[in-house]
Amino acid sequence: MKPQLLGLLAWFFMPEVLAHNTMGILLVNRTATPEWLYVRDVMGPNYEDEIFPWGQYHKTIPQMDVHHPDITCGRKAFAAAANTSTADVIAGSEVGFRVSWDAYGPGGEFYHRGPAQIYLSRAPGDDVENYRGDGDWFKIAVAGPKDNNSWLLSGEGDFNFSIPLTTPPGKYLMRIEQFWPTDSYNYSQWFVNCAHVNIMGEGGGSPAGFARFPGTYEIDDPGIRLPGNQMVLGSVKVEDMRLLEYKPPGPAVWAG
């Protein structure tokens, strides 16, 4: 093994580093669909085959650059777009994402302490298989703090939410971002996946508050770089924590 990889290997095997996740399972009305059927498959970094030859752990390794094109739908996700099926979902119904792999194998949980957000982006011409996600995105759901010292998704494996009832019908990319915000400069970690969905319903709504990925987030935005009193298990005393004051990055949620 190359000498420089020995250091990487030691770093990756630290407990806080190993415990990553990827969300390759779409939930429809709390029913799991096959892994990577409706979610674009992702890949690991370039050294994946040498360091992590087993299972799908390499797909869980986070992104740490909010300006990189892979922040759109996950690392090398567009390469899988043509082989990803599209799920029919009814506006107003419940859908979700499930952790499909973590450090310990298939399944698992959202390990890193932080929020998750859901965005939708309509595919031009409803051609979702050829859409890179470089258009406008609007936010439909957030899982934020549970209380001043914990996050809603900590220890959970599923994030369920509803498609706004008046969402215009059509084919969309549905993007989940679960991330670890920290009080350190440029140290956030991002876990991103995108599903193909065909939203059916009467529509009538006008989505508002758009974002671009990459393009909207900066490394020191509020909600990405935290004050000390919002850093769970940081140096601030439990009684002095103010996590409920957390404001996520990006636009407001469009409720339909």
Side-chain angles (χ1 to χ4, degrees):
M1 181 176 290
K2 299 175 183 178
Q4 62 267 34
L5 293 180
L6 292 174
L8 279 172
L9 194 59
W11 183 78
F12 273 116
F13 274 86
M14 294 170 61
E16 289 282 340
V17 175
L18 267 177
H20 302 319
N21 51 262
T22 191
M23 295 79 69
I25 295 173
L26 177 70
L27 304 172
V28 180
N29 292 317
R30 296 187 179 260
T31 298
T33 61
E35 183 183 24
W36 306 122
L37 176 62
Y38 299 117
V39 179
R40 289 183 177 179
D41 205 349
V42 293
M43 299 178 69
N46 293 334
Y47 48 80
E48 65 186 69
D49 292 333
E50 187 160 1
I51 297 183
F52 301 115
W54 72 91
Q56 298 189 58
Y57 177 74
H58 57 281
K59 299 179 183 182
T60 75
I61 297 172
Q63 299 184 70
M64 300 184 71
D65 182 1
V66 296
H67 301 121
H68 195 282
D70 282 340
I71 204 70
T72 309
C73 281
R75 195 177 281 112
K76 302 179 180 71
F78 185 67
N83 296 319
T84 304
S85 298
T86 301
D88 290 335
V89 298
I90 307 297
S93 66
E94 192 175 57
V95 294
F97 287 89
R98 173 171 291 173
V99 173
S100 55
W101 197 280
D102 69 7
Y104 307 103
E109 63 185 51
F110 297 99
Y111 178 83
H112 281 295
R113 300 169 185 87
Q117 304 195 107
I118 304 295
Y119 287 87
L120 287 172
S121 183
R122 179 80 178 268
D126 282 338
D127 186 9
V128 70
E129 292 83 4
N130 289 299
Y131 181 40
R132 290 183 176 272
D134 51 356
D136 291 331
W137 297 79
F138 59 97
K139 188 189 299 183
I140 64 168
V142 176
K146 180 179 181 180
D147 52 43
N148 271 325
N149 291 281
S150 63
W151 296 92
L152 280 171
L153 291 183
S154 292
E156 300 292 330
D158 295 352
F159 177 20
N160 290 287
F161 49 89
S162 295
I163 300 291
L165 183 61
T166 62
T167 302
K171 293 184 179 181
Y172 291 78
L173 285 177
M174 185 168 68
R175 175 182 183 271
I176 181 172
E177 59 178 35
Q178 196 272 325
F179 64 99
W180 183 34
T182 77
D183 56 358
S184 299
Y185 180 76
N186 197 20
Y187 198 68
S188 59
Q189 298 187 20
W190 297 80
F191 308 89
V192 181
N193 294 101
C194 287
H196 292 192
V197 293
N198 177 35
I199 297 177
M200 300 182 294
E202 295 184 2
S206 297
F210 293 107
R212 292 269 179 139
F213 302 106
T216 292
Y217 294 166
E218 295 296 335
I219 57 178
D220 56 355
D221 282 349
I224 294 176
R225 188 178 185 187
L226 302 178
N229 63 3
Q230 294 179 10
M231 184 68 186
V232 175
L233 298 183
S235 60
V236 175
K237 294 179 181 179
V238 170
E239 59 269 24
D240 294 328
M241 287 288 290
R242 296 293 183 271
L243 187 57
L244 287 173
E245 297 177 2
Y246 175 81
K247 304 297 183 184
V253 168
W254 181 74

